[in-house]
Amino acid sequence: MNVLLVSTYELGRQPFGLSSPAAWLAARGHQVTCADLSVATLSEDAVQSARLICLYLPMHTATRLAAGAIRKIRTLNPDAHVCCYGLYAPLNEAYLRSLGVETVLGGEFEAGLVSLAERVAQGSRAPQTEALISLDRLQFLTPARSGLPPLTDYARLRVNGSTKRAGYTEASRGCKHLCRHCPIVPVYRGAFRVVQPEVVLADIRQQVAAGAEHITFGDPDFFNGPTHAMRIVEAMHRDFPGLTYDATIKIEHLQKHGGLIPRLKETGCLFVTSAVESIDDAVLMKLDKRHTRSDFVAVVERFRAADLALAATFIPFTPWTTRESYVELLGFLVEHGLVDNVAPVQLALRLLIPNNSPLLELEDVRAVVTGFEHAALLHRWKHPDPGMDALAEKALKIAAESGSRPEIFAKLWRLANEQALPENFDLMPRVTIPYMDEPWYC
């Protein structure tokens, strides 16, 4: 049976969420076509020849883009069975079904996709029998990447004025933690699942053979299982000593497992992304981040001692943000020499409240929410001070402008701050921070 797997957006990465199920489906004899709409247009022939069409929805942006693709698919092939899978699929089940989606799969989706394919191949149009959310422990297969566009079509690593071709894999899914703002929580509810080390390493080998010089580990938190993570990167470094990588790790874990930071550096890690979110301890408690401002400062110092870059991400505009607290954040980054560590968009993001978000447990969040908008996939909210909403809008426009990180930072400083930048700001020593040339993180 012909199966079409579709990805709309995944931060400029070659999608693990297509290549992994492609291997499972091919192993059962299905003819699988992969379409990544972030780098190619949707083929009408591929749509019309498929009996099963599955769209991968790992994030908010991907899901919004998928809505238009679903409408097109329904027009081109009204008889195809349409499925949505991935983290954001169960969060938006009702909306997706209103677009004509028949099956919705979240969590560990590969086995569910195989079950669905078998049903469709047998001609079944019965209602969904697969679990909406599965947390089964799977034995993964090596992802099938040959049907995807080449790595040259995807985001690259930029470091020291040069670029590196980047690959992407996942060593785990889900998360042990229950941060209130995180979309993983309503799906995994504190569970995380590992991809077997031999599968991860086989996937890395095939990407290196395809030209990868750097690997991004897309785990929600690489240190949910630190032993598992270090086993993989140490084996990878033995096999490919010149291969570099990056990963995402919580501040809490970087504090708890600080002794592993030098080992990250030794095994080829160029930078770690960490969702700091705020430097206000009261806000961090509301988000249930399980770290403090002082923890963040301690981690910054540990990374400097190890000569390893820390890429911090933030949610600067929340219902609790004031102009003073925003100015304080900017001043903190200057004081601690972190201006170059933060992508400009991270100083302009507004708190996103998805469907079923634990944020709605907070009375002060419910007080500012104005309703759920299905097409936008979020609860709209207004700041108690309208001036803060206006400031956030202006900041986002500035963050989208071209220029270096210090140049954009200076514009944001002048937008929010009556105080002048330190006189030596333009003369401050700048550290070259490696980064992927796709800056969005949601």
Side-chain angles (χ1 to χ4, degrees):
M1 182 181 70
N2 289 341
V3 181
L4 174 62
L5 301 180
V6 180
S7 174
T8 58
Y9 177 71
E10 198 178 5
L11 290 167
R13 302 159 171 170
Q14 192 186 63
F16 182 90
L18 292 195
S19 58
S20 177
W24 285 62
L25 292 163
R28 297 300 293 264
H30 298 291
Q31 303 301 311
V32 182
T33 300
C34 293
D36 187 347
L37 306 190
S38 69
V39 296
T41 57
L42 186 62
S43 164
E44 293 188 4
D45 289 343
V47 172
Q48 291 168 343
S49 64
R51 290 179 60 190
L52 173 61
I53 302 175
C54 305
L55 294 96
Y56 176 48
L57 310 181
M59 57 198 307
H60 182 264
T61 301
T63 309
R64 293 195 66 176
L65 293 171
I70 291 168
R71 295 186 184 98
K72 183 175 181 179
I73 286 166
R74 274 289 171 221
T75 300
L76 291 171
N77 188 349
D79 294 327
H81 187 112
V82 178
C83 165
C84 286
Y85 67 99
L87 186 65
Y88 264 77
L91 293 181
N92 299 284
E93 179 189 8
Y95 174 62
L96 295 170
R97 292 194 188 279
S98 76
L99 298 176
V101 174
E102 297 172 76
T103 301
V104 177
L105 303 172
E108 304 301 280
F109 47 73
E110 283 87 351
L113 287 171
V114 169
S115 171
L116 171 61
E118 298 301 307
R119 286 201 297 115
V120 174
Q122 293 167 9
S124 171
R125 298 306 297 236
Q128 177 172 343
T129 58
E130 295 77 21
L132 177 67
I133 297 173
S134 171
L135 298 182
D136 290 347
R137 299 178 187 275
L138 303 180
Q139 179 61 50
F140 286 84
L141 302 177
T142 301
R145 296 185 177 273
S146 60
L148 287 167
L151 293 178
T152 50
D153 287 355
Y154 291 93
R156 289 175 175 255
L157 175 82
R158 296 188 179 274
V159 55
N160 292 323
S162 63
T163 63
K164 281 188 172 185
R165 191 175 298 124
Y168 173 81
T169 195
E170 297 175 8
S172 66
R173 290 197 292 227
C175 187
K176 289 181 177 180
H177 300 275
L178 301 172
C179 303
R180 280 197 179 94
H181 62 302
C182 180
I184 297 170
V185 174
V187 176
Y188 280 87
R189 299 190 180 277
F192 93 106
R193 297 290 180 259
V194 302
V195 181
Q196 289 74 29
E198 62 273 17
V199 174
V200 181
L201 292 167
D203 190 26
I204 291 169
R205 289 189 198 100
Q206 68 177 345
Q207 292 186 72
V208 170
E213 303 165 286
H214 177 88
I215 296 292
T216 290
F217 287 98
D219 309 41
D221 192 307
F222 200 50
F223 274 6
N224 268 319
T227 301
H228 172 69
M230 294 309 300
R231 182 180 296 125
I232 288 170
V233 295
E234 287 171 351
M236 180 180 76
H237 186 63
R238 285 195 298 271
D239 290 346
F240 306 105
L243 187 66
T244 58
Y245 69 93
D246 69 272
T248 298
I249 306 175
K250 282 172 64 72
I251 293 296
E252 176 187 359
H253 285 162
L254 293 170
Q255 269 283 69
K256 182 178 180 180
H257 305 292
L260 295 179
I261 293 173
R263 289 173 64 191
L264 290 173
K265 173 75 174 181
E266 291 163 5
T267 53
C269 186
L270 288 184
F271 66 94
V272 169
T273 300
S274 193
V276 181
E277 314 301 34
S278 177
I279 59 165
D280 184 325
D281 285 344
V283 173
L284 290 168
M285 286 188 66
K286 288 181 181 294
L287 299 179
D288 200 13
K289 283 298 296 179
R290 305 298 179 94
H291 75 257
T292 64
R293 175 181 178 140
S294 62
D295 291 333
F296 175 39
V297 173
V299 167
V300 169
E301 293 172 353
R302 284 180 181 268
F303 269 68
R304 289 224 169 95
D307 191 27
L308 182 59
L310 180 68
T313 68
F314 293 93
I315 307 173
F317 292 101
T318 72
W320 312 289
T321 304
T322 63
R323 183 177 289 268
E324 290 74 21
S325 68
Y326 184 68
V327 168
E328 183 181 8
L329 171 61
L330 299 180
F332 177 96
L333 298 180
V334 173
E335 177 187 355
H336 292 276
L338 294 170
V339 170
D340 291 87
N341 296 65
V342 181
V345 72
Q346 297 300 328
L347 299 176
L349 294 179
R350 203 166 180 270
L351 180 67
L352 190 152
I353 307 176
N355 201 18
N356 299 324
S357 173
L359 283 167
L360 297 170
E361 298 168 0
L362 301 177
E363 183 177 347
D364 44 0
V365 170
R366 294 196 302 272
V368 299
V369 165
T370 60
F372 187 77
E373 186 174 326
H374 285 282
L377 313 176
L378 51 76
H379 289 272
R380 296 287 186 188
W381 62 271
K382 292 184 178 180
H383 196 283
D385 175 3
M388 291 306 301
D389 288 335
L391 180 64
E393 185 176 348
K394 292 176 183 176
L396 189 59
K397 289 179 180 178
I398 290 173
E401 294 177 5
S402 59
S404 68
R405 290 184 176 186
E407 288 169 346
I408 301 300
F409 181 90
K411 291 181 180 181
L412 292 169
W413 179 285
R414 288 192 289 270
L415 171 69
N417 203 334
E418 294 180 357
Q419 301 291 325
L421 274 164
E423 291 183 4
N424 65 338
F425 178 74
D426 291 333
L427 302 176
M428 288 180 178
R430 302 295 181 192
V431 177
T432 300
I433 305 297
Y435 66 95
M436 300 302 298
D437 57 12
E438 170 55 72
W440 294 89
Y441 195 64
C442 62

